[in-house]
Amino acid sequence: QGLPMPDAWTLRRVGATTVERVSLETARSSVPFPIELPTALPAGFGLASVELVDAGFGAGVTLYLRDEDADAGIGTIRLHLEAASALPPATSAAQSTVEVGGVQGRFTPDRSQLEWIDGGLYRSLDAPGLALEELLAIAISISGGGTDG
């Protein structure tokens, strides 16, 4: 049991964007979409923290998943969720189209990032130490992670 987290760590503002560290329960009650955790994580990984992100056009949620005992060389797995009907513009020339459980997604190898839209929900999953196949397994393990619903 540590000390309470300083306020400066729980709430940050950068320009028009606000990022607030909250509990999973608070995040679930603050956004109009479901927040489901992946079930196919590397051994030892679990939820480390949750952030509500508001850039002025609707709240999103970022989940940080880490090895609970040690850093296994994978680092942090980040899953960002927000309501959307299309992928954001591409930010890298080195991207490819991939199928994520029946829906079309996009993989950016330089960032080990997998993005897809399913049922009006944009999902971005990245982990510097994971290959595409591992990202796909995590993505598909999320409830609705590629089922178009």
Side-chain angles (χ1 to χ4, degrees):
Q1 182 75 348
L3 298 172
M5 195 176 308
D7 289 341
W9 291 7
T10 60
L11 182 64
R12 297 185 317 270
R13 288 187 176 86
V14 179
T17 301
T18 302
V19 178
E20 181 180 10
R21 188 171 293 177
V22 297
S23 69
L24 180 58
E25 294 76 24
T26 298
R28 283 181 167 150
S29 67
S30 299
V31 295
F33 50 80
I35 299 173
E36 301 297 333
L37 298 175
T39 58
L41 292 169
F45 270 67
L47 183 64
S49 66
V50 179
E51 293 178 340
L52 280 175
V53 181
D54 190 345
F57 50 85
V61 174
T62 304
L63 308 171
Y64 296 91
L65 305 136
R66 292 196 50 84
D67 190 321
E68 295 171 344
D69 295 323
D71 185 357
I74 295 171
T76 301
I77 298 172
R78 185 183 68 89
L79 175 61
H80 180 76
L81 311 164
E82 64 184 64
S85 58
L87 291 175
T91 57
S92 173
Q95 295 182 318
S96 57
T97 300
V98 295
E99 182 180 312
V100 183
V103 299
Q104 185 174 332
R106 177 171 63 204
F107 177 60
T108 306
D110 294 350
R111 291 193 300 268
S112 292
Q113 181 183 32
L114 182 63
E115 302 169 276
W116 71 104
I117 301 275
D118 185 27
L121 185 60
Y122 167 76
R123 292 180 172 102
S124 172
L125 177 67
D126 62 76
L130 296 182
L132 173 59
E133 294 76 21
E134 295 163 305
L135 289 170
L136 284 168
I138 294 169
I140 292 168
S141 80
I142 300 167
S143 178
T147 59
D148 204 21

